[in-house]
Structures are given as structure tokens and as C-alpha cells.
Amino acid sequence: MTNKATTKKQVYDYIARNGIVSKAELMAQFELKINSMTRLLEELIAENWLQEKGLGYSTGGRPPILYETNAHRGYILGLEISRIYSSMGLYDLQMNRLSLIRWTMDETMTPERFIDRVQETVDSFLVQHGLSAGQIIGIGVGAVGPLDRERGLIVDPVLFPAAGWRDLPICRLLEERLGFPALLDNGANTALIGEHWALRSERYEHMLYVHAGAGLRSAMMSGGELVYGATDTEGAVGQMIIQAGGPRLRDNGNYGALEAFVSLQALESKVRELPVTTAAATINDAGQEPVTFETMVRALAEGNTAVLNIFNEAAAYLGIGLANLINVLHPEKVIIGGALLNAHETMFDTAIRVAEQNTYYFPKYKPLFSKGILKEDAVAAGAAVMVLKKIQL
């Protein structure tokens, strides 16, 4: 807080996090004289970043003026790029979601078609809400890694259904097509940013996020800030060895790695090995329908016990992986999500039970487990929060 611009942003961010605040609350948080704080608030109001929100409760004398951020000063887009589906949401500056759309990622979704789809969606959002492109502050992107965040590149995503995504300058392509800034981070990180924002009133400082879907992804927050390593390898949690000399997924990666037991590809492979008579009714229709995530979910819904056993076994292995992470990172809150966890209600319960059984010092140390508040919308929402935090005032 050594210069006005920095303090101005800090005051705005504090109000954005806390919703509605009084000048007295701000004075208790920032080392400013009352005249300086008054001028700063007046400036933020004049620039439409803040607005007055009535009067607070008086303990004697004048009731205090309350302040909140101006939700309609601008708008933010949050974009998720994943292997199974992608989604995009439109948010105001109070992070109220105005619209959200999701689409399937298949072998036809090349980068060119994807950018076209994004532009079509943006245009639809603008028309729907009566906005102009100039009102969009930016777009945040949460994508499958590995990434080069500084250069805005999707580097070399594995298991992507369509070609052309290697070394893709996604931020440059979006900026050229849409005309406003783009920020990039991996999807696990933006999901954690989103969930942390949704839980901001609970003041969690140390959180772990694990996503189980087409691949395994994780993110960690300490002191309320994301923990970054020397390189972006969000899928590295899948290379955690949980069985020495165990199986290897797709003939690469570590032997006995977590992903060989807990990933969409691992589950598909195990279901394909089931006897046709066991799985035919709900999985492969006597060999005619391929085994996919959708057909496996349908089998679970129709009560196929053989498939359910495979999923619950995977959930138990995921619990072991969670315990390993918890014993090293010691989070307060653990959020787990992803398509596999949402495939059947027993998946979450099984994973948590095994994780707790293998957590050191449990139950004296007992992290809180959750599917999250935002769930499948966490990546896109967190990508938008990422832009909100980077706004220059």
C-alpha cells in the first residue's frame, strides 16, 4: 500500500471479496487517513467501479454509508477447455453467472472449429443480454495442460479427441478473434480459484482440489494463493505410484501409477474385459455399441453391478491417492470432482472413506471433504475470477 494505484486495487478487491462494507471496516483494514479513504472511495464511485448500497446500522451518530462493487461496470467470460466437454459462462463483476453453455469435445472439434464456436457463443451472449463487445473486460481460460501460461500456449495435451491442439497459442487466437484480453491457467487451478471464491466467507487458507475424468488433475492453495511449481504439469498427480510394478496406462507413464487405476481410459479398458453376457444389456449391446463414458454411466444407472464394482474399485484407489496428497500437503478443505466422481453416488463416499482410513493422525486431523459448490461449473467460473483479480483500475 505504498502508492494510490495499488491501494485503490486492494480496496476494490477487498470490497469484491466481502460484498457490502462500510468505510469504518475499510479503515480497519487499510493504513489510510480518513480523508484519503474518502477520496479513494469517491474516485471509485466516479469511475463506476463502486456504488453506494444504502446505510448501515448506527451505534450512535450518523448511520454509515455502505459500499459494494458495481456489478454492471463490465462483464467477464470464463472458458473451460477439457477433453470430454468445454463450457463458457458470462459473469458480471459480482460474479453472478448470467449465461452458461456447454458443448461436447469430439474428433471434429479442431482448434479452428473451437474458436468459431467460442465466437458464436460470445455473439449469442451479447445479443441475449443487450451488451456490446466493449463492455467485456476479458476472457479467462482454464484448459487441459501442460501449458505455458506466460506465452498463452496449450503445449501438448494428451488424449485430446481432435488434432491440432499441440503448441496452440490459444490466448492469441482468442484475442485476435474476440478483440479483448485472454488469460490462461490450467483447469485444476481455475476450478480451485472458483471454489475458493465461492467459499470466501469461510476464510479457507489451505485447499486441495482433485479432478477425476479423462485424466487426473490437481491443484493446491496455501495461504489463500495457488501453489505453482517450476513447470506446469497438472496431470502429474496421475503419475503417483500406488502399486510398485503395477500396470501402465497406454504404454507410457509410470508403472503402477494412479491413472492406471483411476481414469476414464482405465475404466473403459476394464469394462471391455467383462464377459459379453455380463455387460451386453447395458454396455455394448452384444458387441454392437462401443464402450464409452456415456454407455458406462447408463449401465450404472440401470444397476449393472459388474460395472459398479469396477467404478467403486477405482474410487478406492482414488482414496489412496487422496490420502497420499493429504499426508504431504495437509489441506483444511479437499474438493474432489470430475465426471468419474459424478458418475455414481457411491464413488464419492468410497473415495472419502478410504482417504480418511489412510490419513495420518485421523481423526485428530480431519480435513473437510466436499464435491464443491460450483461442481462442473468450477473451471469456467474460476477462469472468470482470475480475470476479475487482474483488473487494472
Side-chain angles (χ1 to χ4, degrees), residues 63-214:
I65 298 173
L66 301 178
Y67 301 90
E68 68 174 358
T69 58
N70 179 4
H72 305 295
R73 175 62 172 78
Y75 299 86
I76 302 171
L77 293 160
L79 175 64
E80 174 182 9
I81 304 176
S82 188
R83 300 178 182 93
I84 300 176
Y85 62 79
S86 288
S87 63
M88 187 163 66
L90 174 69
Y91 304 83
D92 65 25
L93 293 191
Q94 290 180 358
M95 284 307 299
N96 298 306
R97 193 185 75 195
L98 306 181
S99 290
L100 180 79
I101 190 169
R102 179 173 285 108
W103 61 89
T104 301
M105 298 291 284
D106 57 25
E107 66 278 359
T108 69
M109 194 58 71
T110 62
E112 294 78 11
R113 187 179 177 197
F114 182 86
I115 297 295
D116 288 342
R117 185 65 179 268
V118 169
Q119 183 176 33
E120 291 167 4
T121 304
V122 171
D123 292 343
S124 174
F125 285 170
L126 295 179
V127 171
Q128 180 182 353
H129 296 282
L131 304 175
S132 68
Q135 292 175 275
I136 304 297
I137 291 174
I139 182 169
V141 183
V144 172
L147 309 174
D148 184 330
R149 292 183 298 110
E150 297 300 322
R151 298 170 61 200
L153 294 178
I154 296 176
V155 177
D156 189 15
V158 297
L159 303 176
F160 236 60
W165 287 87
R166 183 173 183 177
D167 293 328
L168 185 74
I170 187 65
C171 286
R172 178 176 61 80
L173 293 173
L174 288 170
E175 289 172 351
E176 290 176 352
R177 182 67 70 90
L178 302 176
F180 39 77
L183 291 176
L184 176 68
D185 207 331
N186 73 56
N189 282 345
T190 65
L192 183 52
I193 290 171
E195 294 288 359
H196 184 255
W197 179 267
L199 292 165
R200 61 194 181 281
S201 63
E202 300 185 32
R203 310 291 183 183
Y204 289 114
E205 292 288 308
H206 309 285
M207 293 177 63
L208 171 66
Y209 175 84
V210 176
H211 182 279

Side-chain angles (χ1 to χ4, degrees), residues 261-274:
F261 302 89
V262 189
S263 65
L264 178 58
Q265 293 71 34
L267 293 178
E268 287 176 347
S269 178
K270 290 186 178 181
V271 170
R272 289 190 190 102
E273 294 172 359
L274 289 173

